[in-house]
Each structure stands twice: as C-alpha cells, then as structure tokens.
Amino acid sequence: MAATPLRDRAVRPGTRIHVVSDVHGNARDLARAGEGADALICLGDLVLFLDYADHSRGIFPELFGEENADRVVELRTARRFAEARDFQAGLWAAAGEDRAVLIERAVRRQYAEMFAAMPTPAYATFGNVDIPRLWPEFAREGTTVLDGQRVEIGGWTFGFVGGGLRTPMRTPFEISDEEYEAKLAALGEVDVLCTHIPPEVPDLVYDTVARRFERGSRALLDVIRRTRPRYSLFGHVHQPLSRRMRIGSTECVNVGHFASSGRPWALEF
C-alpha cells in the first residue's frame, strides 16, 4: 500500500503534527495518517502478534489458528501467564521449525507493508512488541528513527524514548528500568516528550478492557515533574481510564490505539 505524502515544504509557525501509536498492522489508515499535517510521529508497536478484539488476526493465529488464539487470550486475561507460556511452548515445539525463524519471517512481512505505508516526513520510535534491529532494513528515506534522542520540529524540541519495561508478558523489546532511565536522561529538557509507555500514574496505566495495570515508568513521571515539558505523548495502554491529564504544567496525552481508531492525534503550535 503506497503512503500518502505530506506537504513538501519547510515547517514554519503554525505547525501541525499528527501522532499515532499502537498501529498493530493497520497499514490502510497509517497511509492516510499524515494528511493535512507537516509531519507524522509514530510511537511504536507496528507489529500485530495477536489481536485481543479479533482473535483471527495477527502472527499467532496465522500460525496456530483462531481456537488456539482464543485460549491464549483467555489465559492472559486471567493473568495466568505461566500457563499461557507453557501452552504456547507446546504449540511452538510442534511447529516443526524454529520459533525465532517463524516469528521473524512474519514480522518482516508486516514491516515491509507498514513502512511502505508510513507517510513522510515521519519520526518514529519502537514499541514493546517491535524488533528494533529490523527497522533499518525497512525504514525508508524520510523516516527518522529515534530512541534516547531528540530532534527539532517547527522550532520545538521533541525527545523520543522507545520500548517498554519488563513484564510477565515478555514482549520483544522490554528493557530494564535502569536502561530506560538512562535513555530519558540522555534527552535533557525538551518541549515534547514522546514515549511508547506512559508515566506511572494509575489512571494512565490501567486498561479498562484487559482489566489490568500495564507497566508505566516511574522515571518518566519523575522527568515530567522535574523538567516540565509542554507535552508528554504516549500510547501502549489501549483503553485507559484517562486519556489525558495534567501533571504540573505538562499535558499528558495517550494518543490512542490507532489499530482500532484509525485516527491520529493532532498537535498544533
């Protein structure tokens, strides 16, 4: 699917940025996500491993069928993570091919489609289900990948930190609290803090449909309180108790579960 190009002009006052997160395979809407904007920001989770709303979609049901996907979702929703891992281990053992090879082949197919659809200019960081080492192979010209780095857009400074913190889910790009904190520290003061996961605030990390607290970052919360960026933008929690709140002078916004909404969040300044 071909991407929709953004306006080919220098960014000037009156900048409009579209922000998406948790794309999870929605290439059709991603291709249109930059329409009317000067740039697109993507906060990760391009890969769709298993759709909790539609168990027929994603890498897992493609390999093992919808019935087995139903069982995995049932176990994970009940927080029976060890049983879910054992159940999946049995399926992988019977697959007849190395698990890593099967997953990487499927992820490559998804990345080829997703990066071809991504409008440019785009600024992107990794989600917890992404595989960072594959991105250089698929990110095309006009897509800038940032992690623990900053960039100026329209006269504002944007800092990016990708990935998630370690959980019983053991998704591909989970890192230690110390590594995450170091990436935040490398940014310094920024106008807009762009991360995949939210700050550790109960209303921002609780998923009302999954009925569980996702992992947010205490270090991110501390940075927001200390450096007071204009905005903290994130995704990760698909159905949070609160999508938006202020922490001091910082507007904290969950930019949404793009896979289901298909609509970017707009930042204008």
Side-chain angles (χ1 to χ4, degrees), residues 64-107:
F64 301 117
E66 188 173 349
E67 184 176 338
N68 286 321
D70 290 342
R71 180 60 175 159
V72 169
V73 171
E74 177 188 1
L75 291 171
R76 285 183 172 181
T77 302
R79 303 188 64 80
R80 293 156 60 185
F81 297 117
E83 289 180 63
R85 285 196 297 271
D86 290 343
F87 178 72
Q88 291 178 84
L91 295 174
W92 289 113
E97 193 170 353
D98 183 75
R99 172 178 180 168
V101 171
L102 286 169
I103 290 177
E104 184 167 317
R105 186 183 301 148
V107 169

